[in-house]
């Protein structure tokens, strides 16, 4: 529950300059609302963030969270979801994160293929590729369970295009 305390300026001030500042452009007395509960909690959060533990946790945020959202915005152009409803947003974000993971998977697959094609036998390279394709099968099974059939077909076309 919000509890505001309202303070009004005095009707008459000591000098004319203060008298002007005490009134709005329309001539009404200025009022200030203060929520002391809000101020108390703001101060608590500030103290927690300025503590050694708070600084360490906040610094970790740049590593953990910000890069993911930065990639979503910068590389994939996703600045907002364009659907409504909890499940639809869940699916939309899930597809975006899956696209990001598939991009990483394809880069990793390319690195592994390049690395092992030069230094390994053909049999070892085939084993590694089959492991990666097993990961692809797991992703497709997950997609089938989570999203609708039309979205699943779209995702499968994208996956096949990537591979």
């Amino acid at each position: 529950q919000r509890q505001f305390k309202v303070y009004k300026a005095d009707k008459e001030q000591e000098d004319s300059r203060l008298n002007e500042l005490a009134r709005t452009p329309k001539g009404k007395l200025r009022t200030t609302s203060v929520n002391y509960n809000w101020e108390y909690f703001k101060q608590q959060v500030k103290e927690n963030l300025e503590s050694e533990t708070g600084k360490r946790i906040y610094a970790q945020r740049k590593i953990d969270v910000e890069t993911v959202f930065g990639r979503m915005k910068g590389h994939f152009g996703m600045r907002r979801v364009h659907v409504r409803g909890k499940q639809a947003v869940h699916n939309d974000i899930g597809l975006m994160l899956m696209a990001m993971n598939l991009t990483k998977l394809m880069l990793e697959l390319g690195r592994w293929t390049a690395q092992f094609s030069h230094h390994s036998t053909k049999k070892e390279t085939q084993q590694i590729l089959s492991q990666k394709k097993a990961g692809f099968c797991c992703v497709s099974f997950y997609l089938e369970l989570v999203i609708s059939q039309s979205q699943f077909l779209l995702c499968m076309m994208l996956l096949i295009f990537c591979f």
Side-chain angles (χ1 to χ4, degrees):
Q1 183 179 5
R2 296 181 181 179
Q3 298 171 352
F4 291 101
K5 202 154 214 170
V6 178
Y7 295 98
K8 286 188 177 183
D10 293 334
K11 289 184 180 184
E12 291 298 318
Q13 303 295 324
E14 296 172 4
D15 63 20
S16 60
R17 183 178 172 287
L18 289 176
N19 217 6
E20 279 181 37
L21 292 174
R23 298 200 176 271
T24 65
K26 292 185 177 180
K28 296 183 178 181
L29 286 177
R30 291 192 186 272
T31 59
T32 303
S33 301
V34 180
N35 183 345
Y36 287 107
N37 288 337
W38 175 254
E39 295 298 326
Y40 168 76
F41 287 118
K42 264 187 4 185
Q43 185 61 33
Q44 260 190 332
V45 168
K46 186 176 180 181
E47 288 171 8
N48 286 341
L49 284 174
E50 290 175 352
S51 71
E52 289 302 316
T53 306
K55 286 179 184 177
R56 186 173 37 81
I57 291 170
Y58 194 70
Q60 187 68 28
R61 181 173 181 217
K62 295 174 188 165
I63 298 166
D64 291 342
V65 178
E66 300 297 332
T67 54
V68 174
F69 290 116
R71 285 193 69 222
M72 282 173 69
K73 286 178 166 182
H75 296 292
F76 291 92
M78 184 175 190
R79 300 188 184 287
R80 63 187 314 182
V81 291
H82 297 285
V83 292
R84 293 187 182 186
K86 194 173 186 178
Q87 188 61 44
V89 169
H90 177 81
N91 290 347
D92 201 29
I93 295 292
L95 288 172
M96 172 54 60
L97 294 173
M98 195 175 313
M100 291 172 65
N101 288 335
L102 285 172
T103 304
K104 289 179 189 177
L105 180 69
M106 292 308 298
L107 290 172
E108 187 69 21
L109 185 61
R111 272 183 261 176
W112 277 71
T113 305
Q115 178 185 357
F116 283 99
S117 63
H118 297 297
H119 304 293
S120 302
T121 64
K122 189 172 183 176
K123 186 177 181 181
E124 289 174 335
T125 305
Q126 290 299 327
Q127 286 175 340
I128 291 167
L129 289 175
S130 66
Q131 289 173 353
K132 296 296 178 180
K133 287 180 182 177
F136 167 76
C137 290
C138 291
V139 167
S140 64
F141 179 69
Y142 172 78
L143 279 173
E144 192 173 2
L145 290 174
V146 174
I147 60 178
S148 71
Q149 188 174 6
S150 60
Q151 289 175 327
F152 173 72
L153 293 174
L154 175 66
C155 289
M156 290 310 294
M157 289 189 315
L158 288 171
L159 286 172
I160 290 168
F161 177 72
C162 289
F163 277 95

